[in-house]
């Protein structure tokens, strides 16, 4: 097998006295969809933020494409070009149109011309059903549309890994489906993703690997059939019986 | 309206009204002075227009310096804090007097001794400190999640400020800024303390010569005519922003 695209070894992270992540090992191969599950406060968001270097880590290493990105000499901006993130609360820029939201980083960070950035963004927006909203400001869109626009914004940077942090958690139930459908489509296109989610049915369907986090540790991980079908750990069973 | 009615009734029925009417509301003197006042009012308008632009530049620069995080800018940050603290503390009229009389008296080579210029500088420094605080409040009001998502997209701190934070901050502070500008329009009258022939000093000169205060009332009318459009524009903008926020919150 090839080397993993993203590899985490012995990651440790604490806020002051409080250890939030400990001994985290994780290997993500190209085309993988890794789902992080676990109760609220187990460290899913923090792990994703560390992968994107939005949080400094205390110990351990993170390799992206064979290069150690946890090295303090690495420019985090270079890493963030390759690692896209979408947050729970979409965080679109309210003063920019949907199109300008999607082209800001490609133009400023990747140095694309306006025409190139716009044609690429338009294509993705059309593909994900936002063609009618290209020139609208985010406040004109529904929550589901905003979250899809945020996904397109991240995709416009052509990241090699996409991190999604509970992207459906802030949505009304009837809007969850349209966003998950988009993620399924990306998974079918072999986009590599690490996502924190509470949607167990979705994780079972789409994930190649599911990791159960408990108090900052990956207690158990494996293919969804194993983790959902025959969980090894007592705590995993307890968590699953609560959410399924 | 009722309040105005009572105020006018009190004015008209006051024992000294006859005398006041003669010295403040004399139509002949009003007609005679209005042309001169109008031409000197141009000094006030010009001062306002030029200072306004410079104040925006100073205010935004100071606010951005204070909001910056780079360690190398630490001395500039301290300077910005001192500037705001000191300049906000000095009454504007004192600053006009100090710069308007003080700097030309230094007779420094290469510095103009035009008191109007130094009066303008005083207004810019004084209002720049206020406007810097308005901009800073706007910058602080942009939610941290906006900055996080700009950084997650790979934007540098400078790019995040320029493309994400400042545009949102500026939109939010336009109404308070316009308020400060209404106040600036009036404060251009302070240059008269330097004996600069603006509309106020002209009116003062005329009043002293003719022993009649009617020109003061005429100048007041000019200032009202200048500030009311700005005030209505501010109201309109605020109403529009409120409507937009409500639409967004729906
Ligand atoms: N900025 C922070 N400062 C201090 N503690 C934090 C911070 N962010 C998260 N935590 C703590 O870290 C733990 C893990 O949080 P988080 O990663 O958000 O969990 P999850 O996403 O699984 O709900 C929680 O106990 C939370 O209180
Ligand atoms: Mg979370």
């Amino acid at each position: 097998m090839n080397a993993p695209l993203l590899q985490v070894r012995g990651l440790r992270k604490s806020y002051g006295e409080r250890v939030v992540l400990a001994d985290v090992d994780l290997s993500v191969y190209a085309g993988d969809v890794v789902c992080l599950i676990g109760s609220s406060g187990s460290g899913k968001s923090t792990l994703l933020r560390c992968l994107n270097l939005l949080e400094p880590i205390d110990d351990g290493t993170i390799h992206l494409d064979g290069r150690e990105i946890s090295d303090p000499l690495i420019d985090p901006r270079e890493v963030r070009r390759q690692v896209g993130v979408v947050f729970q609360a979409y965080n679109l820029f309210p003063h920019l149109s949907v199109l300008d939201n999607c082209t800001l980083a490609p133009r400023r960070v990747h140095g694309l011309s306006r025409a190139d950035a716009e044609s690429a963004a338009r294509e993705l927006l059309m593909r994900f059903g936002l063609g009618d909203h290209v020139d609208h400001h985010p406040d004109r869109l529904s929550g589901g549309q905003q979250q899809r626009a945020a996904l397109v914004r991240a995709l416009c940077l052509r990241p090699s890994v996409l991190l999604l942090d509970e992207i459906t958690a802030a949505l009304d139930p009837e809007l969850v489906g349209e966003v998950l459908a988009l993620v399924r489509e990306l998974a079918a296109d072999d986009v590599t993703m690490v996502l924190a989610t509470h949607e167990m049915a979705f994780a079972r369907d789409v994930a190649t690997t599911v990791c159960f986090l408990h108090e900052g540790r990956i207690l158990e991980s494996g293919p969804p059939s194993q983790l959902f079908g025959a969980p090894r750990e007592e705590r995993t069973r307890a968590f699953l019986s609560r959410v399924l | 309206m009722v309040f105005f009615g009572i105020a006018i009734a009190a004015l008209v029925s006051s024992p000294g009204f006859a005398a006041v009417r003669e010295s403040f509301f004399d139509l002949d003197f009003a007609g005679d002075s209005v042309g001169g006042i109008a031409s000197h009012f141009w000094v006030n308008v010009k001062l306002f227009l030029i200072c306004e632009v410079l104040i925006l530049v100073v205010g935004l620069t100071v606010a951005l310096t204070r909001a910056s995080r780079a360690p190398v800018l630490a001395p500039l940050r301290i300077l910005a804090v001192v500037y705001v603290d000191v300049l906000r503390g000095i009454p504007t009229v004192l600053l006009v007097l100090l710069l308007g009389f003080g700097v030309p008296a230094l007779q420094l080579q290469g510095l103009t001794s035009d008191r109007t210029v130094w009066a303008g500088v005083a207004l810019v420094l004084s209002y720049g400190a206020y406007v810097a605080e308005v901009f800073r409040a706007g910058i602080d009001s942009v939610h941290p999640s906006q900055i996080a998502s700009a950084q997650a997209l790979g934007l540098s701190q400078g790019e995040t400020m320029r493309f994400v934070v400042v545009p949102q901050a500026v939109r939010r502070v336009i109404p308070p800024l316009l308020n400060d500008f209404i106040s600036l329009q009036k404060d251009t009258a302070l240059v008269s303390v330097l004996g600069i022939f603006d509309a106020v000093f002209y009116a003062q000169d005329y009043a002293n010569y003719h022993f009649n205060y009617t020109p003061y009332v005429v100048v007041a009318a000019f200032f009202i005519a200048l500030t009311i459009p700005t005030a209505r524009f501010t109201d309109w903008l605020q109403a529009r922003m409120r409507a937009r926020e409500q639409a967004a919150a729906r």
Side-chain angles (χ1 to χ4, degrees), chain A residues 99-122:
Chain A
L99 185 64
D100 289 343
N101 261 281
C102 294
T103 57
L104 179 64
R107 287 174 60 200
R108 302 299 165 186
V109 180
H110 287 214
L112 255 63
S113 73
R114 177 190 271 274
D116 288 348
E118 287 192 351
S119 73
R122 269 177 206 282

Side-chain angles (χ1 to χ4, degrees), chain A residues 18 42 92 102 108 115 124-125 130 138 164 194 200 213 239:
Chain A
R18 197 177 143 65
S42 56
L92 290 168
C102 294
R108 302 299 165 186
L124 280 169
L125 287 166
L130 294 165
L164 311 179
V194 181
M200 295 304 150
L213 266 81
F239 172 75

Side-chain angles (χ1 to χ4, degrees), chain B residues 49-133:
Chain B
L49 290 176
I50 295 172
C51 290
E52 175 190 351
V53 175
L54 296 176
I55 288 164
L56 286 175
V57 173
V58 169
L60 189 56
T61 309
V62 172
L64 284 176
T65 308
R66 280 189 85 164
S68 67
R69 293 275 160 273
V72 289
L73 291 181
L76 285 180
R77 270 198 292 281
I78 294 171
L79 200 66
V81 173
V82 170
Y83 162 73
V84 171
D85 283 355
V86 171
L87 273 289
R88 267 199 317 184
I90 304 176
T92 312
V93 63
L94 279 182
L95 203 61
V96 170
L97 285 168
L98 286 171
L99 291 188
F101 286 133
V103 180
L106 295 175
Q107 298 186 329
L108 287 172
Q109 284 279 309
L111 281 184
T112 173
S113 58
D114 184 342
R115 273 175 298 172
T116 314
V117 171
W118 290 110
V121 171
L123 289 176
V124 169
L125 289 178
S126 184
Y127 274 85
Y130 276 99
V131 168
E133 286 301 281

Side-chain angles (χ1 to χ4, degrees), chain B residues 4-79:
Chain B
F4 271 118
I6 294 172
I8 289 173
L11 186 69
V12 172
S13 63
S14 63
F17 180 66
V20 166
R21 185 171 56 189
E22 242 169 60
S23 53
F24 280 90
F25 299 98
D26 187 311
L27 279 181
D28 291 337
F29 281 121
D32 187 44
S33 64
V34 71
I37 286 172
S39 66
H40 288 89
F41 193 62
W42 176 236
V43 173
N44 299 82
V45 173
K46 210 161 55 177
L47 259 171
F48 164 69
L49 290 176
I50 295 172
C51 290
E52 175 190 351
V53 175
L54 296 176
I55 288 164
L56 286 175
V57 173
V58 169
L60 189 56
T61 309
V62 172
L64 284 176
T65 308
R66 280 189 85 164
S68 67
R69 293 275 160 273
V72 289
L73 291 181
L76 285 180
R77 270 198 292 281
I78 294 171
L79 200 66

Side-chain angles (χ1 to χ4, degrees), chain A residues 13-16 18-21 36-49 55 88 165-166 196 198 213 215-216:
Chain A
K13 165 81 192 167
S14 50
Y15 290 112
R18 197 177 143 65
V19 177
V20 178
L21 291 172
L36 307 176
I37 62 170
S39 46
S40 175
S42 56
K44 306 182 293 294
S45 300
T46 308
L47 176 54
L48 291 176
R49 293 168 60 81
E55 293 285 350
Q88 175 175 330
D165 191 2
E166 296 195 30
H198 282 300
L213 266 81
E215 290 175 359

